[in-house]
Amino acid sequence: MQCLRDQDALIPGPRGNLPKVCAVAVAAITIGSIIFLSPERLFGWVAMVILMVTLGPLLHGLYLLAEEMLNHSNTRYRGRRLLSRLVPACFGGGRTLLTAGLASLLLFLVGQPLPHQEQCWKLLVLASVLYTLFKSLGVLGPSEVELSDICERRKMNVAHGLAWSFYLGYLQLVLPNLEDSIISFCASHRSTTHLWGRGSRKLLILVPLNANISHKLEDEDSNIHFYDNLPNNEIDRAGVRGRVYKHSVYRVMDEDGKQASDCVVEYATPLLTLYNMSQLSSAGFGEPERRQQVLLFFRTLQEILDNSLECRNRYKLILLNDEHEEDPHFLSKAILRHVQQQEKEEFCLTPPPLQEIDHPLTSASGTLPSAPLFMKGEWHQPEPMSREPTLMFSLDKPQPLKEPVEDTDHYQGQT
């Protein structure tokens, strides 16, 4: 389990609701303090503050609506019902408008004028105008944490698109046929396939944190040797007849060079895109962003594959930490560690075949007792029930469910 703990320590989890909890707690404490110190006109003050907070976003939404209708209505919002699509997009789905309307209704129902009410209305207008100014200039824009949270929740990151593309365009096509390919490979390499283990009969997908991928594994680790390719898998795809998909088999040696294991290993090819993007200034994709996207790619791909029935138990994602690059055999150690972990912790769900044994209760005629035996206060079945259903036929004539009752009175009357 050490491998799983190491990966969990690196992979970022989804952000929680701590900011919402803090906001609710601080608001409750503040309102409670105001109620305790000056309970009069509380609802009026709350309604006025809500109007100040919501009127600015509403005014900014009007600016966005004007921009979309004048410059982007034909390119971004094609089709009918233009306003029904523009209004929710510019005003946050109507939540802000609803909140402002409820605050206005509350202020109207209170009825009592607020102290310095004229100054409050002037402050309301001024706050709304300045909010739209600072919002348009980017001063009040969302922080990096907020942007990251929005992109993760809405699956808008580069990593999300690459993970789904890798699954739909490759793994979903080849993993269901992986077991058959390995069986065919073992049948054609009978003399050299004794090193296949149960844990290594999966596709080992390497995901390095630095996204730096070598096209030949033996160039990174001398304990890894290319053995052969699995049989080609040809699939008609996107107009290409018989597009070839293949996997490579590698023989991985331990540190002493005495034990070896054959397994199907390859890098996650979408990481090449992340690495090349980080090398181009026009992509606006630096090394910190690349590392974050690699972790999100790993987490997203793991979630996708966990929910895929076609790919279940046919893969293993291996996250490679770049902190151990000084070790020349780090890659082979990581692969063997995951293979050995699977061989120790995963069990075959198929029940083993029943073995024929001499039953101690066999009679002289060679048959078993037909009824269960009562031994030491417990019932014991002399032989286990068969796992396979059988169909038995009887040669006797069918019998009625109930025997006929003789009418003795009628019989005596006749005699």
Side-chain angles (χ1 to χ4, degrees), residues 198 312-313 345-353 387:
R198 184 176 61 201
R312 185 169 297 174
N313 298 326
E345 298 180 359
E346 296 184 2
F347 300 93
C348 183
L349 298 179
T350 305
R387 294 180 182 271

Side-chain angles (χ1 to χ4, degrees), residues 156-186:
M156 299 168 59
N157 280 294
V158 176
H160 291 107
L162 291 178
W164 277 105
S165 176
F166 189 46
Y167 167 70
L168 295 175
Y170 178 64
L171 295 179
Q172 191 183 33
L173 303 176
V174 300
L175 285 183
N177 301 321
L178 179 64
E179 186 175 357
D180 295 337
S181 298
I182 294 178
I183 293 175
S184 301
F185 179 84
C186 293

Side-chain angles (χ1 to χ4, degrees), residues 330-348:
F330 167 71
L331 184 58
S332 59
K333 291 178 182 178
I335 295 174
L336 290 176
R337 185 167 61 249
H338 282 80
V339 170
Q340 294 170 1
Q341 175 186 343
Q342 294 177 56
E343 292 177 350
K344 292 179 180 179
E345 298 180 359
E346 296 184 2
F347 300 93
C348 183

Side-chain angles (χ1 to χ4, degrees), residues 5 82 84 89 92-93 107 110 140 188 199 212 219 236 250-251 261 265 275 289 292 295 326 350 374 385 409 415:
R5 286 195 295 267
L82 182 62
S84 63
L107 187 61
V110 169
L140 298 179
S188 60
N212 191 5
D219 294 341
D236 295 337
Y250 287 89
R251 179 157 294 174
S261 177
V265 189
Y275 185 81
E289 291 80 10
Q292 187 71 15
L295 292 173
E326 66 278 0
T350 305
F374 187 76
M385 297 181 64
D409 297 339
T415 58

Side-chain angles (χ1 to χ4, degrees), residues 348-362:
C348 183
L349 298 179
T350 305
L354 296 177
Q355 297 181 358
E356 297 182 359
I357 58 175
D358 295 334
H359 203 283
L361 300 178
T362 306

